[in-house]
Amino acid sequence: MVLLSKGLTLIELLVTLAVAAILITLGAPAMTSILEQFRAQDAVSQWQGDLVYARQVAAAYQTSVTVCPMGGTTSCDGEWTSGYTAFIDENGNGTLDAEDESLHQRGAINDQDHINPNAPEQIRFSEDGFSKDSGALIYCPGQTDSPLSLGLSVSSTGQTRQLGNGQNCE
């Protein structure tokens, strides 16, 4: 009668752990790249969705709508990296006043990521859906010259268009 032992020997366990460690070491950089790409795609898609929504509200309700990074509680003097808000700007002054209605807010981006410093200070849509502020928002995951960076262009007609990889946040 042959007795079979159940379980692993210490050597078998150590070999398995060594192989797993090697695979994780080789796979981690690739995962970082994939996560950075997803962060950039997600941010640009959210920007585009929020700007299209703001433009539609402006045209549908024949009012001015502002999308801007909030510095304080009401002023549009913040950084896009800290998040932004969209609101119906009743008097068109680019400030969230008591009579203005907040439509949407987004939180800060990942601490490791960057947005181009020459992005528009705010994006305002007039009653006809045209943008008073054109320019580009560029999202750079990880570093300012990331090859995975993506952008969003806003034209004076209010239309948005995604920009491909390799944009620069310097």
Side-chain angles (χ1 to χ4, degrees):
M1 185 182 226
V2 177
L3 291 175
L4 297 174
S5 69
K6 296 185 180 190
L8 299 174
T9 66
L10 182 60
I11 292 175
E12 291 172 330
L13 183 61
L14 289 175
V15 169
T16 304
L17 288 174
V19 169
I22 290 170
L23 291 175
I24 289 172
T25 302
L26 293 174
M31 287 300 293
T32 300
S33 177
I34 289 171
L35 291 175
E36 286 181 349
Q37 184 177 11
F38 283 150
R39 282 199 317 262
Q41 288 173 345
D42 183 51
V44 171
S45 293
Q46 286 180 0
W47 288 343
Q48 189 167 30
D50 292 343
L51 291 174
V52 166
Y53 173 65
R55 181 179 185 220
Q56 289 174 341
V57 169
Y61 293 102
Q62 296 291 294
T63 188
S64 178
V65 175
T66 299
V67 180
C68 69
M70 299 300 280
T73 55
T74 61
S75 61
C76 289
D77 58 359
E79 299 288 328
W80 288 99
T81 54
S82 300
Y84 59 90
T85 188
F87 58 93
I88 295 176
D89 196 359
E90 291 291 339
N91 57 7
N93 66 353
T95 302
L96 181 58
D97 300 318
E99 67 271 7
D100 296 336
E101 180 183 347
S102 179
L103 298 172
H104 187 72
Q105 291 182 324
R106 285 273 180 210
I109 65 169
N110 190 301
D111 291 341
Q112 304 168 24
D113 301 341
H114 308 276
I115 296 176
N116 59 317
N118 57 349
E121 291 180 19
Q122 60 186 1
I123 300 171
R124 295 174 295 160
F125 295 99
S126 60
E127 297 81 8
D128 55 7
F130 282 66
S131 175
K132 297 179 180 179
D133 309 284
S134 60
L137 291 167
I138 299 171
Y139 190 97
C140 297
Q143 54 196 21
T144 57
D145 60 348
S146 172
L148 301 173
S149 61
L150 296 171
L152 184 71
S153 173
V154 181
S155 71
S156 59
T157 61
Q159 295 180 337
T160 59
R161 179 177 57 90
Q162 289 193 14
L163 304 172
N165 287 352
Q167 304 299 316
N168 200 321
C169 288
E170 292 178 338

